[in-house]
């Protein structure tokens, strides 16, 4: 089971919207609605942002939105803020080894 | 407060063994699947292993299958990872993680425990 594919980096200016993709296969992202997204600031543990493709845990900003089309899931961050500068990871249930993470995306706020 | 706390990391020689511990509190431990996730220095997250709340269903990443064993003791609210035949590439921060929001939705993370395998 290879890691899900994410862009290495994405950048945007404050106030803009950016989208991070997470591409897998029919064995994981495309086959199940069990995609989650995490934010990890340097030196900290990851934080759950989105689960089951589109759901936000309580306390997570509405600026974070999840979606999926075919074998690709996406995380959109709207109204980009300085504190959004961080690493982001997707994860999915997979029929092959049960769970898998994405390769990670570094978001830079210009 | 719901939390998990890892311990047991350290420096070990290649080919050696190490056992990691995780203690959960603030939630009904036996109701949740638990996982180990690792992160090598400067690298991304890698899922390692999962165990269901009742301990019946267990899965491993291909990279550790046959070398690592996950287990739990619900009476002690504890999760374990027994690591054998350690390799340099196993050097990572190991996180204990609760799967609390559905499959592959990891909602409570510990602070991590560092495992360093020396050659």
């Amino acid at each position: 089971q290879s890691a899900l594919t994410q862009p290495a980096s994405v950048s945007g200016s404050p106030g803009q919207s950016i989208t991070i993709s997470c591409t897998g296969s029919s064995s994981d992202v495309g086959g199940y609605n069990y995609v989650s997204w995490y934010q990890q600031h340097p030196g900290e543990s990851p934080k759950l942002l989105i689960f089951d493709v589109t759901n936000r845990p309580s306390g997570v900003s509405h600026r974070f939105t999840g979606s999926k089309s075919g074998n690709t899931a996406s995380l959109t961050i709207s109204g980009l803020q300085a504190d959004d500068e961080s690493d982001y990871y997707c994860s999915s249930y997979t029929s092959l080894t049960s769970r898998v993470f994405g390769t990670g995306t570094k978001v830079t706020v210009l | 407060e719901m939390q998990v706390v890892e311990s047991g990391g350290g420096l070990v020689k290649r080919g050696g063994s190490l056992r990691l511990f995780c203690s959960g509190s603030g939630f009904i431990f036996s109701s949740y699947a638990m996982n180990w996730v690792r992160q090598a220095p400067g690298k991304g997250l890698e899922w390692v292993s999962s165990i269901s709340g009742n301990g019946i269903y267990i899965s491993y990443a291909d990279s550790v299958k046959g070398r690592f064993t996950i287990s739990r003791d619900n009476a002690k609210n504890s999760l374990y990872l027994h690591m054998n035949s350690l390799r340099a590439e196993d050097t990572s921060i190991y996180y204990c993680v609760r799967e609390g929001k559905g499959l592959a939705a990891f909602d409570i993370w510990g602070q991590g425990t560092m495992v360093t395998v020396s050659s």
Side-chain angles (χ1 to χ4, degrees):
Chain A
Q1 173 78 51
S2 298
L4 306 175
T5 301
Q6 298 181 230
S9 62
V10 173
S11 62
S13 299
Q16 287 187 328
S17 293
I18 62 169
T19 298
I20 303 168
S21 61
C22 170
T23 301
S25 69
S26 58
S27 298
D28 37 68
V29 175
Y32 307 93
N33 287 325
Y34 296 128
V35 177
S36 297
W37 289 91
Y38 308 84
Q39 177 190 58
Q40 185 181 32
H41 287 298
E44 296 183 5
S45 301
K47 171 189 174 184
L48 179 66
L49 294 176
I50 298 287
F51 66 97
D52 292 352
V53 179
T54 61
N55 296 316
R56 273 183 305 270
S58 60
V60 172
S61 171
H62 285 71
R63 298 187 299 107
F64 295 95
T65 304
S67 62
K68 190 184 85 167
S69 177
N71 294 337
T72 298
S74 299
L75 174 71
T76 298
I77 308 174
S78 57
L80 201 61
Q81 300 177 357
D83 188 55
D84 296 333
E85 188 159 292
S86 187
D87 292 326
Y88 293 82
Y89 297 90
C90 61
S91 71
S92 175
Y93 176 78
T94 165
S95 61
L96 300 180
T97 57
S98 87
R99 284 102 174 126
V100 63
F101 279 99
T103 51
T105 298
K106 181 177 182 61
V107 168
T108 300
V109 181
L110 302 172
Chain B
E1 179 190 4
M2 296 180 290
Q3 64 176 355
V4 294
V5 178
E6 309 92 337
S7 61
L11 178 63
V12 60
K13 291 185 178 180
R14 186 179 60 183
S17 298
L18 203 61
R19 195 181 194 199
L20 304 184
F21 304 84
C22 170
S23 177
S25 61
F27 61 96
I28 301 173
F29 190 77
S30 61
S31 294
Y32 296 93
M34 297 296 296
N35 293 256
W36 290 98
V37 174
R38 68 184 181 183
Q39 186 168 35
K43 303 297 184 181
L45 301 174
E46 180 187 14
W47 172 78
V48 173
S49 183
S50 176
I51 185 168
S52 60
N54 57 15
I56 292 177
Y57 301 101
I58 289 174
S59 54
Y60 298 97
D62 290 342
S63 58
V64 306
K65 197 173 294 183
R67 300 187 299 122
F68 289 13
T69 301
I70 192 172
S71 62
R72 65 190 298 161
D73 184 339
N74 287 337
K76 297 181 179 179
N77 290 344
S78 294
L79 176 73
Y80 309 99
L81 186 68
H82 197 169
M83 305 183 293
N84 290 327
S85 303
L86 282 162
R87 306 166 179 168
E89 54 265 37
D90 294 319
T91 295
S92 290
I93 298 172
Y94 284 74
Y95 293 102
C96 171
V97 190
R98 190 184 86 164
E99 196 165 341
K101 292 291 188 182
L103 291 176
F106 307 115
D107 64 339
I108 297 177
W109 295 68
Q111 82 288 348
T113 187
M114 184 70 200
V115 173
T116 303
V117 183
S118 67
S119 53

